[in-house]
Amino acid sequence: MAESIWQQLDRMMAEYAKVKSLLRAVRGGRFRGRKPNGKWWVRFGTGRAAVDLVTDTPEELVRQAAAHRCGECGHKTLGHRLRTKDEVSCPGVSCTCKATQAEIIAKQSTTAWIAERAGLSKRELFRGVRGPSTTSDTQVTA
């Protein structure tokens, strides 16, 4: 028997709530939902400084949002500037974070890091969320 419209809506609302909770767990900006073309959308910042992340799948959105800000200092990974090859700094803010952009992105885009922040196991992290779901630690490349 085919799925009724109410079952489809329930599934979509559950997926929306799951993605929203995952984005909150990784401090991933303001979740804007899905666009009419089917892409998923989250916004960081306000006004002219706003940055929108738009992806095809909700899993990809969570991974990119997790790597957008440093988990230690909270500043944008794109805002870390290299002083020398080994040191970084956040512009205009005293920051004790010693990680480079590549290190932050490599660590925070893994399934293990996101699952730890969300308080879930790796297996149940993206359960109920559409998109290519793998059990390996795939990483976002920026």
mmCIF file of all heavy atoms in Angstrom, residues 72-73 75 80 83 88-90 93-99:
data_model
loop_
_atom_site.group_PDB
_atom_site.id
_atom_site.type_symbol
_atom_site.label_atom_id
_atom_site.label_comp_id
_atom_site.label_asym_id
_atom_site.label_seq_id
_atom_site.Cartn_x
_atom_site.Cartn_y
_atom_site.Cartn_z
ATOM 1 N N GLU A 72 36.383 25.090 19.422
ATOM 2 C CA GLU A 72 37.097 25.529 20.621
ATOM 3 C C GLU A 72 36.809 26.990 20.932
ATOM 4 O O GLU A 72 36.449 27.333 22.045
ATOM 5 C CB GLU A 72 38.609 25.328 20.440
ATOM 6 C CG GLU A 72 39.011 23.899 20.175
ATOM 7 C CD GLU A 72 38.678 22.976 21.328
ATOM 8 O OE1 GLU A 72 38.839 23.402 22.490
ATOM 9 O OE2 GLU A 72 38.267 21.839 21.069
ATOM 10 N N CYS A 73 36.994 27.865 19.941
ATOM 11 C CA CYS A 73 36.859 29.304 20.209
ATOM 12 C C CYS A 73 35.549 29.877 19.679
ATOM 13 O O CYS A 73 35.160 30.974 20.060
ATOM 14 C CB CYS A 73 38.029 30.062 19.610
ATOM 15 S SG CYS A 73 38.100 30.017 17.809
ATOM 16 N N HIS A 75 34.836 30.930 16.641
ATOM 17 C CA HIS A 75 34.950 31.841 15.509
ATOM 18 C C HIS A 75 34.906 31.079 14.193
ATOM 19 O O HIS A 75 35.169 29.890 14.147
ATOM 20 C CB HIS A 75 36.248 32.643 15.618
ATOM 21 C CG HIS A 75 36.255 33.529 16.807
ATOM 22 N ND1 HIS A 75 36.977 33.235 17.933
ATOM 23 C CD2 HIS A 75 35.588 34.677 17.066
ATOM 24 C CE1 HIS A 75 36.772 34.175 18.831
ATOM 25 N NE2 HIS A 75 35.937 35.059 18.335
ATOM 26 N N HIS A 80 40.051 32.491 10.637
ATOM 27 C CA HIS A 80 41.373 32.229 11.175
ATOM 28 C C HIS A 80 42.412 32.627 10.134
ATOM 29 O O HIS A 80 42.379 32.170 9.009
ATOM 30 C CB HIS A 80 41.541 30.743 11.516
ATOM 31 C CG HIS A 80 40.875 30.343 12.770
ATOM 32 N ND1 HIS A 80 39.529 30.151 12.864
ATOM 33 C CD2 HIS A 80 41.376 30.097 14.002
ATOM 34 C CE1 HIS A 80 39.227 29.794 14.090
ATOM 35 N NE2 HIS A 80 40.320 29.749 14.799
ATOM 36 N N ARG A 83 49.400 33.523 10.980
ATOM 37 C CA ARG A 83 50.498 34.442 11.289
ATOM 38 C C ARG A 83 51.775 33.852 10.701
ATOM 39 O O ARG A 83 52.497 34.493 9.968
ATOM 40 C CB ARG A 83 50.652 34.593 12.796
ATOM 41 C CG ARG A 83 49.709 35.562 13.392
ATOM 42 C CD ARG A 83 50.150 35.882 14.801
ATOM 43 N NE ARG A 83 48.959 36.075 15.601
ATOM 44 C CZ ARG A 83 48.805 35.732 16.842
ATOM 45 N NH1 ARG A 83 49.783 35.157 17.498
ATOM 46 N NH2 ARG A 83 47.684 35.956 17.479
ATOM 47 N N VAL A 88 47.788 30.586 14.246
ATOM 48 C CA VAL A 88 46.628 31.220 13.632
ATOM 49 C C VAL A 88 46.054 32.230 14.609
ATOM 50 O O VAL A 88 46.345 32.205 15.798
ATOM 51 C CB VAL A 88 45.520 30.198 13.278
ATOM 52 C CG1 VAL A 88 45.989 29.247 12.221
ATOM 53 C CG2 VAL A 88 45.060 29.455 14.500
ATOM 54 N N SER A 89 45.229 33.120 14.122
ATOM 55 C CA SER A 89 44.553 34.070 15.003
ATOM 56 C C SER A 89 43.198 34.403 14.424
ATOM 57 O O SER A 89 42.977 34.298 13.228
ATOM 58 C CB SER A 89 45.375 35.354 15.141
ATOM 59 O OG SER A 89 45.405 36.024 13.900
ATOM 60 N N CYS A 90 42.286 34.779 15.301
ATOM 61 C CA CYS A 90 40.984 35.235 14.868
ATOM 62 C C CYS A 90 41.058 36.748 14.730
ATOM 63 O O CYS A 90 41.562 37.420 15.628
ATOM 64 C CB CYS A 90 39.905 34.851 15.874
ATOM 65 S SG CYS A 90 39.716 33.071 16.012
ATOM 66 N N VAL A 93 39.897 39.638 17.635
ATOM 67 C CA VAL A 93 39.455 39.014 18.875
ATOM 68 C C VAL A 93 40.648 38.289 19.485
ATOM 69 O O VAL A 93 41.402 37.636 18.780
ATOM 70 C CB VAL A 93 38.319 37.994 18.609
ATOM 71 C CG1 VAL A 93 37.875 37.332 19.896
ATOM 72 C CG2 VAL A 93 37.159 38.678 17.925
ATOM 73 N N SER A 94 40.812 38.431 20.803
ATOM 74 C CA SER A 94 41.870 37.659 21.436
ATOM 75 C C SER A 94 41.421 36.205 21.492
ATOM 76 O O SER A 94 40.379 35.884 22.048
ATOM 77 C CB SER A 94 42.161 38.194 22.839
ATOM 78 O OG SER A 94 41.014 38.094 23.639
ATOM 79 N N CYS A 95 42.180 35.330 20.893
ATOM 80 C CA CYS A 95 41.781 33.937 20.727
ATOM 81 C C CYS A 95 42.948 33.042 21.088
ATOM 82 O O CYS A 95 44.067 33.281 20.654
ATOM 83 C CB CYS A 95 41.349 33.716 19.282
ATOM 84 S SG CYS A 95 40.893 32.030 18.929
ATOM 85 N N THR A 96 42.677 32.016 21.871
ATOM 86 C CA THR A 96 43.737 31.094 22.266
ATOM 87 C C THR A 96 43.765 29.853 21.379
ATOM 88 O O THR A 96 44.520 28.928 21.649
ATOM 89 C CB THR A 96 43.532 30.658 23.728
ATOM 90 O OG1 THR A 96 42.272 30.030 23.846
ATOM 91 C CG2 THR A 96 43.618 31.846 24.659
ATOM 92 N N CYS A 97 42.975 29.823 20.353
ATOM 93 C CA CYS A 97 42.892 28.658 19.473
ATOM 94 C C CYS A 97 44.175 28.536 18.646
ATOM 95 O O CYS A 97 44.585 29.478 17.996
ATOM 96 C CB CYS A 97 41.684 28.790 18.550
ATOM 97 S SG CYS A 97 41.428 27.371 17.505
ATOM 98 N N LYS A 98 44.784 27.371 18.681
ATOM 99 C CA LYS A 98 46.038 27.151 17.959
ATOM 100 C C LYS A 98 45.865 26.282 16.717
ATOM 101 O O LYS A 98 46.841 25.928 16.075
ATOM 102 C CB LYS A 98 47.070 26.494 18.885
ATOM 103 C CG LYS A 98 47.436 27.338 20.080
ATOM 104 C CD LYS A 98 48.171 28.572 19.667
ATOM 105 C CE LYS A 98 48.578 29.371 20.898
ATOM 106 N NZ LYS A 98 48.799 30.766 20.619
ATOM 107 N N ALA A 99 44.653 25.916 16.376
ATOM 108 C CA ALA A 99 44.416 25.029 15.237
ATOM 109 C C ALA A 99 44.364 25.812 13.934
ATOM 110 O O ALA A 99 43.924 26.963 13.904
ATOM 111 C CB ALA A 99 43.109 24.278 15.424
#
